[in-house]
Amino acid sequence: MASAATPSGGRLAGKYNLIMLCVAATDPRGGFNVLDVNWKVACDSAAEHGNVLDRSRLRLMGPMHIAETREKARENVRFGLMKYIEYARVITPGRYGDFAGRDPVDVMLDSGHIAIGTPDDAIAVLERLREKQGHFGAFLHQAHDWADWEATKKSYELYIRFVAPHFSNANANRDQSYDEWKAHSQDFSDRSHAAAQATFAKFGKADQAEAAAAQTGMIGSKS
């Protein structure tokens, strides 16, 4: 059941125990602002009809495009961003307002809920969505044709390689280990160096003793 800004979608999702799809989750004009409100409406409606909604079935949707760098992402979306904006303005007159000579990318990014940048920027947007909404089951990428097909496929690839693992905690142990090493790097390095020097000294003395014993044996045999 689609839910945008009004509570009607949430009421129906709760009444019929349907998956709730927040189609305007990143829309700064209202969709983002009512994410938590509409979920409460849905849960209240579910309770009235003997249902219990599961957050893992909740879906949020929005547009994003990511690349290896922010500069590359901005370059990529020159392909179709203005066509997207013009289409949106036809559907909803007045949408996005007057750019007043500003870069359309900057206007889109003003909300803080849309990613045109790196995987880290996408992670930041999804973290803000989770902070507002709470746990949700999946984020759906709105098809928008901001970039050409090759750049769009690369965006999806970067999302799967770097964004998704952040939220599945696939790299949590590795990141924790790295952060701990980074915090104590000099101490660990000093300890390692001291241990190596002690080992060299220990075996160096042993080698010297062995050599001396061998030399003594050679002298004794001559006498």
Side-chain angles (χ1 to χ4, degrees):
M1 175 55 62
S3 172
T6 70
S8 56
R11 288 200 181 103
L12 289 173
K15 179 178 180 179
Y16 295 107
N17 195 24
L18 299 173
I19 294 174
M20 184 169 164
L21 171 59
C22 301
V23 296
T26 62
D27 189 334
R29 297 179 306 113
F32 175 84
N33 294 332
V34 295
L35 283 174
D36 49 350
V37 175
N38 282 344
W39 177 248
K40 184 179 185 307
V41 167
C43 290
D44 290 345
S45 175
E48 291 173 10
H49 294 86
N51 300 319
V52 178
L53 295 185
D54 183 353
R55 280 185 174 273
S56 67
R57 300 174 68 214
L58 176 61
R59 306 289 185 257
L60 271 58
M61 187 179 80
M64 62 171 55
H65 178 81
I66 55 179
E68 296 88 340
T69 66
R70 289 178 177 175
E71 292 74 17
K72 183 65 174 177
R74 295 174 72 100
E75 176 186 339
N76 288 345
V77 301
R78 304 296 179 197
F79 173 83
L81 180 60
M82 276 307 303
K83 291 180 182 178
Y84 172 91
I85 291 172
E86 289 166 1
Y87 170 80
R89 284 172 165 171
V90 170
I91 301 301
T92 308
R95 191 173 183 184
Y96 298 118
D98 182 6
F99 289 177
R102 297 183 61 211
D103 187 332
V105 176
D106 291 330
V107 174
M108 297 293 285
L109 293 176
D110 276 349
S111 69
H113 311 315
I114 293 175
I116 299 175
T118 66
D120 285 340
D121 293 320
I123 289 172
V125 165
L126 294 178
E127 290 285 14
R128 284 192 285 272
L129 287 173
R130 186 163 62 176
E131 181 180 349
K132 179 67 173 177
Q133 174 72 80
H135 173 71
F136 56 92
F139 178 80
L140 305 181
H141 287 244
Q142 178 192 0
H144 46 60
D145 296 324
W146 289 352
D148 65 30
W149 179 228
E150 291 304 315
T152 299
K153 286 190 293 183
K154 185 64 176 180
S155 177
Y156 294 156
E157 176 193 341
L158 292 171
Y159 186 92
I160 292 299
R161 289 180 60 194
F162 298 108
V163 181
H166 173 84
F167 293 96
S168 65
N169 293 319
N171 297 325
N173 290 337
R174 183 181 67 179
D175 291 341
Q176 181 180 355
S177 177
Y178 176 71
D179 290 341
E180 181 179 358
W181 182 273
K182 185 166 60 174
H184 302 93
S185 177
Q186 190 60 55
D187 179 46
F188 290 160
S189 180
D190 291 344
R191 291 187 186 188
S192 176
H193 182 72
Q197 292 301 317
T199 301
F200 288 140
K202 175 182 176 181
F203 285 96
K205 290 178 180 179
D207 291 342
Q208 292 173 9
E210 183 179 346
Q215 184 68 22
T216 301
M218 292 173 62
I219 294 174
S221 63
K222 289 181 179 179
S223 61

